[in-house]
Amino acid sequence: MKNLLFPLFLFLILPELSAQKTLSGYVRDAQSGEILVGAIVAVPQLKTGTYTNNYGFYSLTLKADSAIIRVDYPGYNSQFLTLILDQNQSIHFSLTEKEISLDEVVITEQKARENVEKATMGAIDINVSEIEMLPFIAGEKDLLKGIQLLPGVQSGGEASAGYYVRGGGADQNLILMDEAIVYNPFHMAGYLSIFNTDAIRNVTLYKGSYPANFGGRLSSILDIGMKEGNMKEFHGEGGIGLISSKITLEGPIAKDRASFMVSARRFYWDLLIRPFLPPGQKLGYNFHDFNAKINYKISDKDRLFISGYYGRDNLYTESKTPSDTSLTRMDWGNITFTARWNHLFGPKLFSNTSFIYSNYDYKVIQAYGRDATVLFSGIKDVNGKIDFDYYPNPRHRIKFGLNYIYHTFTPSSTRIQTAQTDTLQVQGRSRFVHESAAYINDEIAITDRFGINAGLRAPLYVSGQTTYYGLEPRLTLKYTLGPNQSIKAGYTLMNQYVHLVSSSVISLPFDIWTPSSEVVKPQVAHQGALGYFRNFLNDRYETSVELYYKRMSNQIDYREGANFFFRDDIEPELVFGKGWAYGGEFYIRKRSGRLTGWIGYTLSWSWRQFDDLNLGRPYPAKYDRRHDLSVVAVYKFNEKWSFSSTFVYGSGHWLTVPSGRLFVPVNGWTNSFSWYDDFSGRNGYRLQSYHRLDLGLRYVVKKPKYTYAWHIDIYNSYNRRNPFFVYQDFVFDSRANARQFVTRQVSLLPMIPSLTWVFNF
């Protein structure tokens, strides 16, 4: 009887399998040939459909003799195709951009109800073109500063591009550019990011419920993809500003077969200040970025991408006198390289294989005459990974793969050369780390209302005799309440094996990355979230409320009185504890019409507790902000003129500052004192609240073969003196005939207007 069951099973299902036919292919921009991520391929009469993955690929299995296929992507004309489904077919779609009227402006890269219908939480697709419409300091359109305007994301301080997500630290954000890890994404000590928006195609921020293919950080994943290059025609764009300029070129190497993209940016403060320096003096700062990418279509089933980034900051001062010369120079930067091969095994199985290299390092040189000291530190990665996308049917999508990273850490290496001995001394040692993971992620719609996104990641970490491993479950549940609303719940466990040890409130180039060891345990976070999502007025308004709670263990900080500066072995200076964060995020976005924009508000708490700090008592984390509000608006008057504004408000950051100072006479002398600072507790002082209004005006001129625009931006338009840091001082009180201990605030940036000219052709 048992021997008859399997043939009977085949007899029953073979007619079903033979009746199913699979469509697969790519969706692209008809003008440039660029792939469209998240495009919808649907069969309305069957009430089924799918969306393209990060490489523009889709797979759709149907049980029908014929079908009318509809392809949609916001900002593009819908495309319809009638097919006879007599066999599996490879169908590629090319969509054309809409001629958008003012009353139908839609700036988005998501389908209208994706926020309601997908079983994902805490994920936001970020439109680069929308960020370019907003006002920023000195006219520099900055991706990371745009991310700070989203709920659950807080800025690192005045004009800083650094960001903190749901109560986590700066090192708990994983930043990927074409799959390569970027360890220091900042220029100018954190005031500007390294990401040139002209070179970026798509950006997704994950704040929780991460897909299982991502790991290694506790708080967020920022996934950035570069442009692939126009396969149809040559195209260029750029801009000239008061302190920097940039240009991007792209076009076909072989039409419809291969393309390229190159982008460069230069900050030239050193050139502007040079005429004002006295003879014999040199003082300057500059940075430069370079992005490049090649896209080659080998066949209908194979495609090759090669991309890279190079960026460097240089800060120097030199003084020459008749008797001697002194020099101080700091330079730091990133290098990334990615080679990716996309292969289609069949209509339902897609793969991406990548080889990735990334390097971050800094160097500090101090010289006086023939004496010189050179400090070097860095981290280098060699990474191999393979990912598979499998589409059993339109309601089911499976992703699985493997990843391996070989880390080389050089915490601190010092070279000293003196005029007397002319010898070289070398200190420091490199550490080599293996980090790998296997994962599987399953997204399935159980019914029309109920969907599950479940994943499991298995990381393995090896450094010398130290080994860590574990399992990281990921789960998101979605229940649709109606055609435009749903509730979702999610849980995520994350491990972090590399750590940034920083002593400053700004991102300094000599902050140190250090790997886990027997002493430094991996950081671990458990995060749970619950959300309600609803759209209004035919999806013109998108709203959501998300509540979250995050528990973190093995958190790292410096012990009191730590000596951290330029140390090779910093582990003795570290202490370990725990943290927790919780709050609510409220979001409303207007997606269409003359006026577009969003309002994001976050109410949150973030705490830390270390046995060796603050007498073991809990204290607020540095970036614990009770209230954080962002209001963003873009208004288009006509085809030439548009206006934009951003308003931000946030509770002040926490600092550890003395609450008083005790003076003790030295050796009985009444006019000679030593003093002792009295601290009320760690992070016991909150800065004043921060708020700012930025304004922007844009004028666009369109010609048959080129377009140019003038951007006028006003940063901090009402000249708010926001706190940057505080220090302690004494003032003489004539009434009391005594000195009084006071805390003084330092503000950094007043109102700053800027003018930028941008163009494309």
Side-chain angles (χ1 to χ4, degrees):
M1 181 66 181
K2 291 182 179 179
N3 294 333
L4 295 176
L5 291 179
F6 184 68
L8 179 61
F9 174 73
L10 289 178
F11 176 79
L12 292 173
I13 68 168
L14 280 175
E16 293 293 317
L17 293 175
S18 62
Q20 294 182 351
K21 304 302 177 184
T22 300
L23 306 178
S24 62
Y26 294 87
V27 180
R28 299 188 179 95
D29 183 303
Q31 183 177 2
S32 67
E34 288 261 4
I35 60 138
L36 298 178
V37 178
I40 307 303
V41 182
V43 183
Q45 67 268 33
L46 299 180
K47 296 183 179 180
T48 188
T50 187
Y51 55 91
T52 57
N53 66 9
N54 284 345
Y55 308 99
F57 175 78
Y58 77 93
S59 177
L60 185 61
T61 300
L62 303 171
K63 182 184 175 183
D65 297 327
S66 64
I68 299 176
I69 311 300
R70 174 172 176 164
V71 185
D72 289 288
Y73 191 78
Y76 287 73
N77 294 304
S78 299
Q79 187 171 338
F80 295 86
L81 181 64
T82 301
L83 291 176
I84 302 298
L85 300 175
D86 56 352
Q87 61 182 348
N88 294 339
Q89 299 182 50
S90 178
I91 306 292
H92 306 303
F93 295 94
S94 297
L95 305 186
T96 58
E97 289 192 71
K98 288 181 179 179
E99 292 294 332
I100 302 175
S101 66
L102 289 179
D103 292 332
E104 296 177 344
V105 174
V106 180
I107 305 178
T108 181
E109 290 184 0
Q110 294 177 284
K111 72 168 185 171
R113 291 182 182 170
E114 186 176 29
N115 63 309
V116 172
E117 295 176 358
K118 287 191 67 176
T120 57
M121 288 185 68
I124 301 178
D125 289 332
I126 299 159
N127 191 307
V128 178
S129 62
E130 186 169 26
I131 290 178
E132 292 178 339
M133 296 282 290
L134 302 181
F136 291 99
I137 186 171
E140 288 291 333
K141 310 304 180 183
D142 195 289
L143 173 64
L144 297 189
K145 290 180 182 176
I147 288 172
Q148 296 172 3
L149 301 173
L150 299 173
V153 184
Q154 299 175 359
S155 71
E158 173 74 289
S160 172
Y163 64 98
Y164 298 79
V165 178
R166 290 186 171 179
D171 67 324
Q172 295 175 359
N173 303 315
L174 178 64
I175 300 178
L176 303 171
M177 182 161 56
D178 269 5
E179 302 182 0
I181 299 176
V182 178
Y183 285 96
N184 186 349
F186 305 114
H187 291 304
M188 303 173 65
Y191 289 103
L192 192 67
S193 79
I194 67 171
F195 305 112
N196 182 352
T197 54
D198 289 351
I200 296 173
R201 173 175 56 95
N202 62 281
V203 182
T204 302
L205 175 69
Y206 298 92
K207 300 180 294 181
S209 299
Y210 314 107
N213 54 303
F214 295 117
R217 299 294 187 275
L218 301 190
S219 291
S220 76
I221 311 292
L222 183 63
D223 189 18
I224 302 171
M226 291 188 202
K227 289 181 178 178
E228 297 177 353
N230 194 313
M231 276 200 168
K232 305 291 185 179
E233 59 185 8
F234 183 78
H235 174 72
E237 59 185 313
I240 299 175
L242 298 178
I243 58 175
S244 69
S245 296
K246 58 183 179 178
I247 187 167
T248 300
L249 303 174
E250 57 180 320
I253 299 173
K255 193 171 183 179
D256 294 326
R257 190 78 176 179
S259 64
F260 76 94
M261 185 278 297
V262 293
S263 183
R265 179 173 60 165
R266 172 66 151 85
F267 179 86
Y268 37 72
W269 181 75
D270 56 329
L271 303 179
L272 298 175
I273 198 175
R274 185 176 298 172
F276 303 98
L277 296 176
Q281 296 286 326
K282 290 185 179 180
L283 173 65
Y285 168 76
N286 65 71
F287 70 76
H288 53 274
D289 291 316
F290 182 77
N291 299 73
K293 192 167 188 177
I294 294 175
N295 167 19
Y296 177 57
K297 182 182 177 183
I298 302 172
S299 67
D300 285 342
K301 292 187 176 182
D302 297 275
R303 178 168 287 201
L304 180 67
F305 304 88
I306 298 176
S307 61
Y309 166 84
Y310 175 81
R312 205 78 188 167
D313 288 64
N314 297 280
L315 175 64
Y316 58 89
T317 175
E318 183 177 355
S319 177
K320 290 185 178 181
T321 65
S323 59
D324 226 327
T325 300
S326 63
L327 168 70
T328 300
R329 177 181 292 273
M330 291 193 301
D331 64 85
W332 63 94
N334 297 273
I335 300 173
T336 71
F337 172 84
T338 305
R340 295 182 299 168
W341 169 43
N342 290 172
H343 177 68
L344 184 61
F345 287 95
K348 295 186 178 184
L349 183 60
F350 174 92
S351 74
N352 175 71
T353 304
S354 303
F355 170 80
I356 306 162
Y357 170 85
S358 65
N359 181 81
Y360 168 71
D361 66 80
Y362 69 81
K363 183 167 58 177
V364 180
I365 302 174
Q366 288 187 315
Y368 185 79
R370 294 183 58 190
D371 297 340
T373 301
V374 179
L375 176 75
F376 174 85
S377 182
I379 177 172
K380 179 170 61 179
D381 289 349
V382 178
N383 184 358
K385 61 192 293 285
I386 183 167
D387 304 292
F388 296 91
D389 285 278
Y390 178 58
Y391 304 81
N393 59 62
R395 305 171 70 92
H396 195 184
R397 185 175 186 176
I398 301 173
K399 191 176 182 70
F400 58 96
L402 299 169
N403 181 29
Y404 168 76
I405 306 176
Y406 181 66
H407 300 284
T408 302
F409 291 85
T410 306
S412 181
S413 177
T414 306
R415 294 181 296 171
I416 303 172
Q417 184 173 349
T418 64
Q420 290 78 16
T421 61
D422 200 28
T423 59
L424 190 67
Q425 301 176 6
V426 180
Q427 298 177 348
R429 59 185 177 89
S430 295
R431 298 178 63 179
F432 307 98
V433 174
H434 306 268
E435 186 178 356
S436 59
Y439 75 89
I440 184 169
N441 201 91
D442 193 350
E443 184 178 353
I444 182 170
I446 305 297
T447 68
D448 290 341
R449 290 181 176 269
F450 183 60
I452 296 178
N453 192 332
L456 185 65
R457 183 179 179 89
L460 173 65
Y461 173 92
V462 180
S463 176
Q465 301 300 314
T466 302
T467 300
Y468 294 106
Y469 58 89
L471 294 176
E472 299 178 354
R474 320 283 173 82
L475 178 65
T476 302
L477 306 176
K478 183 268 302 184
Y479 185 77
T480 302
L481 300 174
N484 61 352
Q485 58 180 319
S486 65
I487 56 174
K488 303 178 187 181
Y491 167 78
T492 302
L493 188 153
M494 299 284 277
N495 290 278
Q496 181 168 332
Y497 299 101
V498 297
H499 321 278
L500 181 67
V501 183
S502 175
S503 64
S504 175
V505 297
I506 62 176
S507 176
L508 296 176
F510 39 80
D511 290 340
I512 297 173
W513 284 93
T514 186
S516 293
S517 64
E518 291 185 4
V519 176
V520 182
K521 307 295 184 183
Q523 299 182 61
V524 182
H526 300 262
Q527 182 177 182
L530 178 67
Y532 174 70
F533 301 80
R534 181 164 185 172
N535 291 358
F536 294 91
L537 299 178
N538 197 27
D539 299 311
R540 290 168 64 94
Y541 291 88
E542 169 188 321
T543 66
S544 65
V545 178
E546 291 190 53
L547 307 177
Y548 68 90
Y549 179 85
K550 180 161 58 177
R551 188 85 180 182
M552 298 169 284
S553 59
N554 300 331
Q555 300 300 284
I556 302 174
D557 208 334
Y558 283 112
R559 68 175 64 256
E560 300 290 358
N563 178 19
F564 64 90
F565 199 64
F566 297 162
R567 292 240 355 217
D568 175 41
D569 183 12
I570 63 171
E571 289 185 357
E573 307 300 326
L574 303 178
V575 294
F576 308 96
K578 61 184 179 181
W580 58 98
Y582 50 92
E585 300 167 3
F586 307 85
Y587 184 58
I588 179 170
R589 177 171 184 162
K590 188 173 186 294
R591 308 174 65 93
S592 61
R594 289 178 178 264
L595 176 66
T596 58
W598 68 86
I599 300 174
Y601 170 71
T602 305
L603 175 66
S604 62
W605 290 259
S606 183
W607 297 90
R608 299 292 185 270
Q609 186 174 17
F610 293 76
D611 291 339
D612 298 317
L613 299 177
N614 202 47
L615 301 177
R617 297 191 300 258
Y619 60 89
K622 183 189 305 181
Y623 294 101
D624 169 68
R625 265 189 169 174
R626 195 69 63 247
H627 306 282
D628 194 84
L629 172 70
S630 298
V631 182
V632 178
V634 177
Y635 187 82
K636 192 169 184 179
F637 296 98
N638 51 46
E639 294 300 325
K640 290 186 176 182
W641 291 95
S642 62
F643 171 79
S644 61
S645 66
T646 60
F647 174 77
V648 294
Y649 172 87
S651 303
H653 293 150
W654 292 95
L655 295 177
T656 302
V657 298
S659 57
R661 182 167 290 175
L662 175 65
F663 284 84
V664 179
V666 177
N667 296 327
W669 294 89
T670 58
N671 59 349
S672 180
F673 294 88
S674 63
W675 68 83
Y676 300 91
D677 288 329
D678 178 28
F679 292 90
S680 58
R682 194 171 185 88
N683 287 350
Y685 181 88
R686 186 190 281 275
L687 292 175
Q688 291 183 10
S689 61
Y690 182 98
H691 53 88
R692 189 189 77 241
L693 175 67
D694 303 335
L695 304 174
L697 187 65
R698 187 179 186 185
Y699 176 71
V700 180
V701 177
K702 294 184 178 181
K703 299 293 184 180
K705 293 186 177 181
Y706 64 91
T707 300
Y708 67 88
W710 290 99
H711 290 198
I712 301 174
D713 293 337
I714 303 177
Y715 177 86
N716 193 8
S717 61
Y718 54 81
N719 201 35
R720 160 74 173 176
R721 308 300 289 180
N722 283 302
F724 183 61
F725 68 88
V726 295
Y727 67 96
Q728 283 67 48
D729 196 5
F730 288 91
V731 296
F732 182 77
D733 188 344
S734 58
R735 296 179 181 177
N737 194 29
R739 292 185 300 174
Q740 299 293 327
F741 184 76
V742 296
T743 299
R744 296 188 182 275
Q745 173 183 298
V746 175
S747 299
L748 188 64
L749 298 175
M751 180 179 69
I752 301 177
S754 61
L755 177 67
T756 307
W757 183 67
V758 299
F759 60 89
N760 65 67
F761 57 89

